[in-house]
Amino acid sequence: LKIEEPFMIFIKAALIVGAVISSPMVFYHLWTFVAAGLHAHERRYVYIYLPVSVGLFISGVVLAFFLVLHYVLTFLLSFNASMGVAAEPRLTYYVNFVLLLPLGFGIAFQLPLVMLFLQRIGLFETESYIGSWKVAILVIFVIGMMLTPADPYSMLLMAIPLTVLYFGGILLCKYMPRKSSPYDDEDEQPSP
Protein backbone atom coordinates (compact mmCIF):
# COMPACT_ATOMS: atom_id res chain seq x y z
CA LEU A 1 0.00 0.00 0.00
CA LYS A 2 3.00 2.29 0.41
CA ILE A 3 5.64 2.81 -2.22
CA GLU A 4 8.51 2.50 0.26
CA GLU A 5 7.12 -0.55 2.10
CA PRO A 6 9.17 -3.28 0.32
CA PHE A 7 12.36 -1.27 0.76
CA MET A 8 11.66 -0.67 4.47
CA ILE A 9 10.92 -4.37 4.99
CA PHE A 10 14.23 -5.22 3.32
CA ILE A 11 16.07 -2.74 5.58
CA LYS A 12 14.29 -4.04 8.70
CA ALA A 13 15.10 -7.67 7.84
CA ALA A 14 18.72 -6.72 7.07
CA LEU A 15 19.05 -4.97 10.44
CA ILE A 16 17.64 -7.95 12.30
CA VAL A 17 19.86 -10.45 10.44
CA GLY A 18 22.85 -8.17 11.02
CA ALA A 19 22.08 -7.95 14.73
CA VAL A 20 21.79 -11.73 15.00
CA ILE A 21 25.04 -12.34 13.09
CA SER A 22 26.99 -9.72 15.05
CA SER A 23 25.51 -10.61 18.45
CA PRO A 24 28.29 -13.04 19.51
CA MET A 25 30.95 -10.34 19.10
CA VAL A 26 28.75 -7.66 20.68
CA PHE A 27 28.08 -9.89 23.69
CA TYR A 28 31.76 -10.81 23.91
CA HIS A 29 32.81 -7.16 24.08
CA LEU A 30 30.04 -6.37 26.58
CA TRP A 31 31.16 -9.32 28.68
CA THR A 32 34.83 -8.24 28.67
CA PHE A 33 33.73 -4.79 29.83
CA VAL A 34 31.46 -6.09 32.60
CA ALA A 35 33.70 -8.98 33.70
CA ALA A 36 36.49 -6.60 34.66
CA GLY A 37 34.35 -5.31 37.53
CA LEU A 38 33.08 -8.67 38.80
CA HIS A 39 34.49 -10.90 41.49
CA ALA A 40 35.46 -14.48 40.62
CA HIS A 41 32.34 -15.99 42.22
CA GLU A 42 30.13 -13.55 40.30
CA ARG A 43 31.80 -14.48 37.00
CA ARG A 44 31.19 -18.13 37.85
CA TYR A 45 27.41 -17.47 38.02
CA VAL A 46 27.50 -15.91 34.57
CA TYR A 47 29.39 -18.89 33.17
CA ILE A 48 26.74 -21.24 34.59
CA TYR A 49 23.53 -19.33 33.87
CA LEU A 50 24.29 -17.63 30.56
CA PRO A 51 24.41 -20.86 28.50
CA VAL A 52 21.18 -22.02 30.18
CA SER A 53 19.53 -18.69 29.38
CA VAL A 54 20.67 -18.78 25.75
CA GLY A 55 19.49 -22.39 25.43
CA LEU A 56 16.06 -21.55 26.83
CA PHE A 57 15.75 -18.51 24.56
CA ILE A 58 16.74 -20.48 21.45
CA SER A 59 14.38 -23.34 22.32
CA GLY A 60 11.50 -20.87 22.71
CA VAL A 61 12.30 -19.22 19.37
CA VAL A 62 12.63 -22.59 17.61
CA LEU A 63 9.34 -23.84 19.07
CA ALA A 64 7.54 -20.69 17.96
CA PHE A 65 9.08 -20.50 14.52
CA PHE A 66 8.88 -24.15 13.49
CA LEU A 67 5.76 -25.36 15.30
CA VAL A 68 3.52 -22.61 16.65
CA LEU A 69 3.67 -20.34 13.62
CA HIS A 70 2.36 -23.10 11.36
CA TYR A 71 -0.67 -23.77 13.58
CA VAL A 72 -1.38 -20.08 14.13
CA LEU A 73 -1.31 -19.20 10.44
CA THR A 74 -3.36 -22.29 9.51
CA PHE A 75 -5.99 -21.46 12.12
CA LEU A 76 -6.23 -17.77 11.22
CA LEU A 77 -6.39 -18.36 7.46
CA SER A 78 -8.98 -21.13 7.80
CA PHE A 79 -11.05 -18.97 10.14
CA ASN A 80 -10.95 -16.12 7.63
CA ALA A 81 -11.98 -18.52 4.86
CA SER A 82 -14.89 -19.84 6.94
CA MET A 83 -16.14 -16.27 7.36
CA GLY A 84 -15.85 -15.67 3.63
CA VAL A 85 -13.04 -13.14 4.08
CA ALA A 86 -10.21 -13.20 1.57
CA ALA A 87 -7.27 -12.12 3.72
CA GLU A 88 -4.49 -10.25 1.97
CA PRO A 89 -2.09 -9.36 4.77
CA ARG A 90 0.29 -6.49 4.25
CA LEU A 91 3.93 -7.41 4.13
CA THR A 92 4.76 -5.13 7.07
CA TYR A 93 2.21 -6.77 9.35
CA TYR A 94 3.24 -10.27 8.29
CA VAL A 95 6.95 -9.66 8.93
CA ASN A 96 6.21 -8.03 12.30
CA PHE A 97 4.02 -10.98 13.25
CA VAL A 98 6.61 -13.54 12.18
CA LEU A 99 9.38 -11.72 14.07
CA LEU A 100 7.54 -10.81 17.28
CA LEU A 101 5.92 -14.17 18.02
CA PRO A 102 9.25 -16.07 18.31
CA LEU A 103 10.74 -13.21 20.32
CA GLY A 104 7.87 -13.40 22.81
CA PHE A 105 8.36 -17.15 23.13
CA GLY A 106 12.10 -16.76 23.67
CA ILE A 107 11.62 -14.20 26.43
CA ALA A 108 8.84 -16.21 28.09
CA PHE A 109 11.06 -19.30 28.20
CA GLN A 110 13.36 -17.51 30.69
CA LEU A 111 10.81 -18.33 33.42
CA PRO A 112 12.90 -20.92 35.37
CA LEU A 113 15.87 -18.57 35.61
CA VAL A 114 13.65 -15.67 36.71
CA MET A 115 12.17 -17.91 39.41
CA LEU A 116 15.64 -18.97 40.56
CA PHE A 117 16.82 -15.35 40.60
CA LEU A 118 13.83 -14.23 42.67
CA GLN A 119 14.43 -17.09 45.07
CA ARG A 120 18.15 -16.30 45.31
CA ILE A 121 17.59 -12.65 46.20
CA GLY A 122 15.01 -13.63 48.80
CA LEU A 123 11.80 -12.29 47.25
CA PHE A 124 10.21 -15.74 47.00
CA GLU A 125 10.82 -19.00 48.77
CA THR A 126 10.53 -22.38 47.13
CA GLU A 127 7.57 -23.22 49.35
CA SER A 128 5.67 -20.20 48.05
CA TYR A 129 6.22 -21.36 44.47
CA ILE A 130 4.92 -24.81 45.42
CA GLY A 131 1.98 -23.44 47.42
CA SER A 132 0.78 -21.10 44.68
CA TRP A 133 1.12 -23.39 41.67
CA LYS A 134 -2.58 -23.14 40.79
CA VAL A 135 -2.44 -19.35 40.66
CA ALA A 136 0.81 -19.53 38.70
CA ILE A 137 -0.77 -21.76 36.05
CA LEU A 138 -3.71 -19.37 35.75
CA VAL A 139 -1.27 -16.45 35.31
CA ILE A 140 0.71 -18.46 32.75
CA PHE A 141 -2.43 -19.07 30.69
CA VAL A 142 -3.42 -15.39 30.89
CA ILE A 143 0.08 -14.34 29.81
CA GLY A 144 -0.05 -16.93 27.02
CA MET A 145 -3.33 -15.42 25.90
CA MET A 146 -1.92 -11.87 25.88
CA LEU A 147 1.44 -12.63 24.24
CA THR A 148 0.04 -14.69 21.39
CA PRO A 149 -2.61 -14.00 18.78
CA ALA A 150 -6.19 -14.68 19.72
CA ASP A 151 -6.26 -18.34 18.74
CA PRO A 152 -6.37 -21.34 21.05
CA TYR A 153 -3.43 -23.19 19.44
CA SER A 154 -0.78 -20.57 20.08
CA MET A 155 -2.05 -19.94 23.61
CA LEU A 156 -1.88 -23.64 24.47
CA LEU A 157 1.46 -24.08 22.69
CA MET A 158 2.88 -21.31 24.87
CA ALA A 159 1.12 -22.09 28.14
CA ILE A 160 1.86 -25.83 28.27
CA PRO A 161 5.65 -25.46 27.88
CA LEU A 162 5.61 -22.55 30.35
CA THR A 163 3.77 -24.74 32.86
CA VAL A 164 6.45 -27.41 32.46
CA LEU A 165 9.12 -24.71 32.82
CA TYR A 166 7.40 -23.43 35.98
CA PHE A 167 7.71 -26.83 37.60
CA GLY A 168 11.29 -27.01 36.27
CA GLY A 169 11.92 -23.69 38.01
CA ILE A 170 10.58 -25.18 41.24
CA LEU A 171 13.02 -28.07 40.85
CA LEU A 172 15.87 -25.62 40.22
CA CYS A 173 14.98 -23.68 43.36
CA LYS A 174 14.64 -26.87 45.39
CA TYR A 175 17.92 -28.48 44.31
CA MET A 176 19.94 -25.25 44.12
CA PRO A 177 18.93 -23.63 47.43
CA ARG A 178 19.93 -20.13 48.39
CA LYS A 179 22.87 -19.91 50.73
CA SER A 180 22.65 -17.54 53.65
CA SER A 181 23.87 -14.09 52.85
CA PRO A 182 25.87 -11.82 55.13
CA TYR A 183 23.22 -9.18 54.38
CA ASP A 184 20.32 -11.20 55.84
CA ASP A 185 18.74 -10.08 59.10
CA GLU A 186 20.76 -11.08 62.15
CA ASP A 187 17.81 -12.77 63.87
CA GLU A 188 17.42 -15.08 60.85
CA GLN A 189 21.08 -16.18 61.03
CA PRO A 190 21.90 -19.30 63.04
CA SER A 191 23.72 -18.62 66.27
CA PRO A 192 27.45 -19.61 66.38
Side-chain angles (χ1 to χ4, degrees):
L1 297 178
K2 293 182 179 178
I3 195 165
E4 77 276 2
E5 189 172 11
F7 178 73
M8 294 308 292
I9 292 296
F10 183 79
I11 295 294
K12 187 178 200 177
L15 285 173
I16 291 171
V17 169
V20 168
I21 291 172
S22 66
S23 64
M25 286 307 291
V26 170
F27 286 133
Y28 170 76
H29 289 296
L30 282 173
W31 170 244
T32 56
F33 177 74
V34 171
L38 295 177
H39 296 289
H41 71 280
E42 293 168 335
R43 282 194 294 267
R44 185 175 57 101
Y45 286 133
V46 173
Y47 292 137
I48 292 171
Y49 296 124
L50 185 64
V52 174
S53 175
V54 170
L56 287 171
F57 183 83
I58 290 173
S59 60
V61 168
V62 166
L63 176 74
F65 195 75
F66 291 110
L67 181 69
V68 176
L69 207 54
H70 169 73
Y71 286 113
V72 169
L73 292 176
T74 302
F75 173 78
L76 293 175
L77 291 174
S78 65
F79 183 79
N80 288 341
S82 71
M83 297 290 290
V85 176
E88 295 178 12
R90 288 181 55 189
L91 189 59
T92 305
Y93 297 147
Y94 181 77
V95 169
N96 286 340
F97 178 74
V98 168
L99 292 177
L100 290 179
L101 187 68
L103 182 65
F105 268 74
I107 292 171
F109 269 47
Q110 301 298 312
L111 179 65
L113 292 182
V114 170
M115 290 172 62
L116 183 64
F117 175 74
L118 293 175
Q119 187 254 357
R120 287 285 169 102
I121 64 173
L123 284 179
F124 288 100
E125 295 298 324
T126 308
E127 291 77 25
S128 64
Y129 286 137
I130 295 170
S132 60
W133 69 271
K134 294 176 185 176
V135 174
I137 290 176
L138 176 67
V139 170
I140 285 171
F141 273 82
V142 169
I143 289 173
M145 181 181 62
M146 291 188 314
L147 289 180
T148 59
D151 69 294
Y153 296 117
S154 61
M155 183 189 81
L156 288 174
L157 288 172
M158 178 180 255
I160 291 171
L162 282 181
T163 302
V164 172
L165 288 173
Y166 178 79
F167 288 110
I170 290 175
L171 290 176
L172 271 178
C173 292
K174 189 171 181 100
Y175 293 112
M176 298 175 71
R178 178 171 65 111
K179 296 176 182 155
S180 64
S181 169
Y183 304 109
D184 286 341
D185 292 336
E186 288 190 24
D187 42 331
E188 292 180 6
Q189 297 252 349
S191 59

